[in-house]
Amino acid sequence: MCHRKSALPPPWSSAVAGAAASFALLGAWFLLYGVRAGPFPPFDLADLIIRHTPGVLATWAIETFEHQAQPALAGATIVAFVTFWALGGALLRRWPARVSGITFGIAQAPISISVVHAAQPRDTAGLIWLSLLLTSTLALAGAAAGHWLALLGDDARRRSEEPPSPEWLATIGTSTRRELLSRMLAIGAAGGVGGALAGGLLRQAAVNEPLTAAGTPLPSVRELAASTGIPNVVSPGLVITAAPLQEQTAPPSGSRSRVTSNRDFYVVDISFRKPVIPEIDWRLRVYGLVDRELTLTYADLLAEPAIDQYGTLMCISYTHANDLISSTLWTGVPLHQILDRAGVMANVVDVVCRGPGGYSDSIPLADAVSSRTILAYGMNGVTLPREHGFPCRLYVPGLYGEKNVKWLREIELVDYEYKGYWQERGWTDIAVIKTMSAFDTPRGNVDSSRAGDVPTGGVAFAGTRGVQMVEVRVDDGDWQRAEVEAYDPALLWQRWRFAWQPERGPHTLAVRCTDGGGDIQTSDARDPHPDGMTGLHVVEVYVV
């Protein structure tokens, strides 16, 4: 007895059809994202997950993946999207028609629109455009999936003929299906990879991006502000400049520079997309427990007396493996000037700072009124680069980077201890930088044939406490004092060097710092969560 084969395509082949359609859809979305004509919904979903993830889970992700957590989450959202479409294809194999694919695509539109709008709220016109864009692209991808499912259905029906037709005898086996699936994957992959590459290049080229003054030389920006009628913007002596850094000791080869270039300055954010905020649209609202609520424009900020201030910024997730620490010449307005204008009420406890995307944090009033806490609008002689907070960010010497809110929009004075984004996820609210010291050189193998000392050095930093002493230990020997470069010890990292004439073979080097208060850096090794890494930097060196 002959048994008729099923007229349905195998689930795996239908899943391939759905996945291939999703590849092309993702490519189209990323191309539109590249020219800023539309969103990339997986990124919006990832942003929402980041904002609403419970503290325990967020901490686990950070500790497990460190600074690969964001890319891993982005990849996971894309994989989940492709998987959903693959499952949809397998389900729709029972209705292998183009109309069923279109219905499948359009049915996703309300959820996709809601996710994108929740991540980046839009006005009415923007929401209408978003709805049309997502609905049409989802429908087209669904139509492609439905078309491929229909072809697979035709293939399955031909295979189920009993007896097979003469025409079918010539192609019996898996070649027809294999060729069909190969074409699907080729089309889907070409659309996905092509869209991703083109979108990435176009976005990197800032195509269709709003114009801003980010990264512009500060004198040019002040001249532009002055030309708009804002008085005193370019008055002589308005900016109190920092004294030039003088070389006091030759750092060993391989040491980092005193000041980090803007390009190399570390970046950590909770969002995949750096906000693009034209300075003409920027406003800073100061409110809460103040006598007078203020709203500052960018020109208002430039009109304020400002200071230049060298300073180091350190991420609370810093480890010796990631080097999330950088130094720059900040330019900005002391925050206390703005708070004095607003009038601070007697019962203020915290000063809350808010940026876009749901990020916020707070600093105690005592830190806010310090003369060294600034509303920074410049780095290394230019306006803030976009990724570093243009038009304005907070810089609080001595506190970890989480407190230094970027893309600052609001300052609220409150009468309680405010818990910000990271505090809600189990990280410290105190955030005082712990003493660190690190080797820049040597690392790995060392050539003993070189005459003289082996270059040995690095940096040390203790926030506003400054650095009193740096010591190095070779193997199990005694701690020996290193030479420390003395300059702005309260705000900037200090470079050190140590004269070492080693013997051949393996060696273990360790470094420790004593801060300005006389406290020696602890050797107790702890992970960054919840209040910053501790422990000594130890390197293994082999002298050949």
Side-chain angles (χ1 to χ4, degrees), residues 37-399:
F40 189 67
F43 285 175
D44 293 284
L45 177 59
D47 278 342
L48 287 181
I49 292 172
I50 290 173
R51 292 180 202 174
H52 300 292
T53 297
V56 174
L57 184 57
T59 298
W60 170 84
I62 292 168
E63 291 180 340
T64 302
F65 299 103
E66 295 185 342
H67 289 280
Q68 296 304 313
Q70 277 192 357
L73 178 58
T77 59
I78 292 172
V79 169
F81 183 82
V82 173
T83 301
F84 179 79
W85 273 76
L87 292 174
L91 177 65
L92 292 176
R93 73 191 184 96
R94 297 185 178 276
W95 305 277
R98 293 159 185 79
V99 66
S100 61
I102 295 174
T103 302
F104 174 72
I106 292 177
Q108 299 174 56
I111 296 175
S112 299
I113 294 166
S114 299
V115 167
V116 173
H117 184 59
Q120 299 186 83
R122 289 161 166 77
D123 57 20
T124 302
L127 187 57
I128 292 173
W129 168 246
L130 174 68
S131 302
L132 291 173
L133 182 67
L134 291 183
T135 302
S136 60
T137 52
L138 284 164
L140 288 172
H147 174 69
W148 288 333
L149 288 169
L151 294 177
L152 288 172
D154 292 341
D155 174 78
R157 282 189 292 275
R158 287 195 300 268
R159 290 170 179 273
S160 67
E161 288 183 10
E162 188 180 1
S165 64
E167 295 80 7
W168 180 240
L169 285 172
T171 57
I172 196 166
T174 59
S175 59
T176 301
R177 181 185 297 148
R178 184 183 299 118
E179 291 171 359
L180 180 59
L181 293 174
S182 296
R183 285 198 297 270
M184 291 179 194
L185 287 174
I187 294 171
V193 174
L197 290 176
L201 291 173
L202 290 168
R203 194 165 186 86
Q204 189 174 12
V207 173
N208 217 21
E209 181 177 286
L211 295 177
T212 74
T216 303
L218 287 172
S220 300
V221 174
R222 292 195 180 98
E223 290 172 8
L224 178 62
S227 69
T228 64
I230 302 298
N232 300 325
V233 172
V234 289
S235 297
L238 175 66
V239 178
I240 302 174
T241 59
L245 295 177
Q246 302 295 327
E247 292 289 346
Q248 297 181 11
T249 181
S253 176
S255 296
R256 69 193 83 186
S257 61
R258 287 182 173 183
V259 175
T260 311
S261 69
N262 291 352
R263 182 182 62 185
D264 295 332
F265 204 100
Y266 84 85
V267 177
V268 175
D269 299 308
I270 67 168
S271 176
F272 293 97
R273 290 147 303 189
K274 310 300 183 285
V276 181
I277 305 173
E279 63 277 8
I280 194 170
D281 297 331
W282 178 79
R283 299 291 184 273
L284 176 61
R285 181 187 177 202
V286 182
Y287 67 106
L289 299 178
V290 296
D291 298 328
R292 295 165 294 280
E293 182 173 321
L294 302 178
T295 300
L296 301 178
T297 66
Y298 193 64
D300 292 335
L301 190 66
L302 295 181
E304 289 286 330
I307 62 172
D308 283 343
Q309 178 173 278
Y310 286 101
T312 296
L313 190 66
M314 182 177 181
C315 181
I316 196 169
S317 296
Y318 168 86
T319 69
H320 298 308
N322 60 36
D323 286 338
L324 293 175
I325 183 172
S326 303
S327 294
T328 190
L329 174 63
W330 301 100
T331 300
V333 177
L335 176 57
H336 73 82
Q337 292 178 192
I338 305 303
L339 296 182
D340 289 345
R341 283 179 53 191
V344 179
M345 295 185 180
N347 55 338
V348 171
V349 173
D350 271 357
V351 176
V352 181
C353 297
R354 295 187 176 91
Y359 189 82
S360 65
D361 212 320
S362 65
I363 58 175
L365 180 62
D367 286 314
V369 298
S370 166
S371 61
R372 297 181 295 191
T373 297
I374 62 174
L375 299 174
Y377 57 78
M379 289 175 66
N380 287 333
V382 300
T383 57
L384 292 173
R386 189 183 77 185
E387 63 270 22
H388 294 298
F390 182 84
C392 177
R393 69 171 297 162
L394 188 69
Y395 174 60
V396 192
L399 298 187

Side-chain angles (χ1 to χ4, degrees), residues 367 370 372 396-399 432-433 461-467 489-491 516:
D367 286 314
S370 166
R372 297 181 295 191
V396 192
L399 298 187
V432 173
I433 289 173
F461 184 55
T464 56
R465 300 182 300 280
V467 172
L491 299 181

